[in-house]
Amino acid sequence: MKLISYNIQYGFGLDGSYDLSRAAKAIADADVIALQEVDRHWSRTNFEDQPARLAALLPQHYQAYAPGFDMDASFIRPDGSVENRRRQFGPMILSKFPIVWSRMHLLPLARMVRPINTQTVALETMIRTPAGPVRFWSVHLAHVGTEERLRQLDIIVELNRASPRTGGPWSGADDEPHRNWTEGEAEPEAPLASIIMGDFNAVPTGPEYTRMVGTQPFHCGVLYSDLFVDAAVAAGHQPTDFYSHERVVNSVLDRRRLDYCFVSGALAPRVRSYAVDVSERASDHFPVMLDIDLETLPVGNHPL
């Protein structure tokens, strides 16, 4: 399966032009896509409903959207009635397989004097892959400071660790069948196996990276069951072999690795390849691409 993580900068490319279709073309052939910075009803993007636009551009994909930033953008029509509309911003997941369930987790937010700081969220979903159920996340961590990102990662890691205990959106026997809570479905899975993708706003030499992979990471021969492996390392690369973001600071080109795919320990041996497409100019970030074997069933003592 091909996975892509992409901060699309709400459709603005390195050339400063707005064209959401460019980003859609870059991700169209992926099986599961984690997007960040998806707009809805902003003046900067012509008040476009980007989740709806992406659905039209990628009609073979299911989608889930988590607008952590949500403000009123309603207006009064000429006849005096209210046109209810929300100005939203957040991560998204698209999948060629049905997204069985999704939920949005608000991440810790520091109130600022300056610069601006906005609410960020982690979007968690569960998809039944051919290899079994896997939880896929799209996250976007704070851009302001390491302390805030570490608090956010503490929440994400603990939510992920607790998922098999807490279950999915519902659990237990339905003793009110007349209310049809379950729509006749079995209790949905909430496996430990997960893949967390997104814009972490952190470099691989920083403490945020260690918070995800542990102090004895995969390249040291260690596989934690409840922590993660950098998919780039699982594919045989060094953490610093890639960059995924480009900017100019004081007339100097600055390239950093800020975007990652982290896989849970049981999935690390299934990673086949990892790459970043730095030729794609549809955003100030570049698409991160992961090929992972989720087509064959688990074997031995390491179920998904």
Side-chain angles (χ1 to χ4, degrees):
M1 288 177 59
K2 181 177 181 180
L3 315 182
I4 289 182
S5 181
Y6 196 13
N7 180 330
I8 63 171
Q9 195 183 218
Y10 37 91
F12 279 90
L14 279 171
D15 59 1
S17 298
Y18 174 59
D19 184 355
L20 191 62
S21 65
R22 289 190 298 184
K25 289 177 183 176
I27 61 178
D29 64 337
D31 296 295
V32 179
I33 304 155
L35 299 181
Q36 301 83 46
E37 296 198 6
V38 180
D39 265 7
R40 176 180 274 157
H41 300 147
W42 290 69
S43 59
R44 64 191 180 193
T45 48
N46 305 321
F47 299 100
E48 191 165 27
D49 183 336
Q50 290 191 341
R53 176 67 174 149
L54 287 165
L57 291 168
L58 302 167
Q60 306 304 316
H61 289 76
Y62 302 87
Q63 65 171 247
Y65 180 53
F69 185 111
D70 182 275
M71 297 287 293
D72 181 46
S74 304
F75 59 91
I76 305 297
R77 300 188 187 96
D79 65 1
S81 61
V82 175
E83 173 72 28
N84 284 287
R85 196 164 64 177
R86 310 300 301 176
R87 178 162 56 95
Q88 298 177 329
F89 180 77
M92 188 173 181
I93 286 181
L94 300 101
S95 169
K96 290 184 178 178
F97 302 93
I99 299 171
V100 179
W101 57 258
S102 71
R103 53 191 169 200
M104 179 175 70
H105 305 284
L106 294 178
L107 298 177
L109 175 68
R111 188 167 188 176
M112 304 296 293
V113 175
R114 65 171 181 262
I116 190 171
N117 197 15
T118 59
Q119 178 68 62
T120 57
V121 302
L123 170 59
E124 178 190 10
T125 69
M126 193 279 283
I127 296 170
R128 294 190 185 108
T129 74
V134 176
R135 288 179 299 115
F136 293 85
W137 300 64
S138 180
V139 305
H140 189 186
L141 300 189
H143 70 284
V144 174
T146 298
E147 298 81 7
E148 186 171 355
R149 287 192 291 273
L150 289 174
R151 290 195 298 270
Q152 293 175 341
L153 286 174
D154 284 341
I155 296 294
I156 291 171
V157 169
E158 183 51 39
L159 284 168
N160 183 74
R161 184 179 289 136
S163 188
R165 298 196 309 270
T166 58
W170 65 269
S171 60
D174 185 3
D175 57 357
E176 297 180 310
H178 61 287
R179 297 187 185 274
N180 206 19
W181 285 105
T182 69
E183 294 287 346
E185 298 176 346
E187 180 180 321
E189 305 94 330
L192 184 59
S194 61
I195 299 175
I196 298 184
M197 302 181 281
D199 177 2
F200 286 72
N201 270 312
V203 296
T205 54
E208 299 92 337
Y209 185 86
T210 302
R211 190 63 55 94
M212 289 296 291
V213 303
T215 56
Q216 295 292 319
F218 180 69
H219 60 265
C220 296
V222 175
L223 267 179
Y224 297 96
S225 64
D226 59 350
L227 283 178
F228 294 89
V229 174
D230 179 353
V233 175
H237 305 281
Q238 294 299 312
T240 55
D241 283 351
F242 300 93
Y243 66 91
S244 64
H245 177 260
E246 185 174 297
R247 63 178 180 174
V248 176
V249 180
N250 297 325
S251 302
V252 177
L253 183 62
D254 181 31
R255 290 170 167 168
R256 302 173 293 168
R257 186 183 183 203
L258 302 180
D259 304 84
Y260 301 83
C261 296
F262 291 105
V263 302
S264 58
L267 297 176
R270 292 173 169 266
V271 174
R272 298 294 175 258
S273 67
Y274 183 96
V276 180
D277 184 3
V278 296
S279 68
E280 181 54 63
R281 319 302 278 181
S283 170
D284 60 340
H285 290 250
F286 303 107
V288 174
M289 300 174 293
L290 169 64
D291 184 42
I292 185 169
D293 177 14
L294 293 179
E295 300 293 334
T296 60
L297 294 174
V299 295
N301 296 320
H302 300 285
L304 298 186

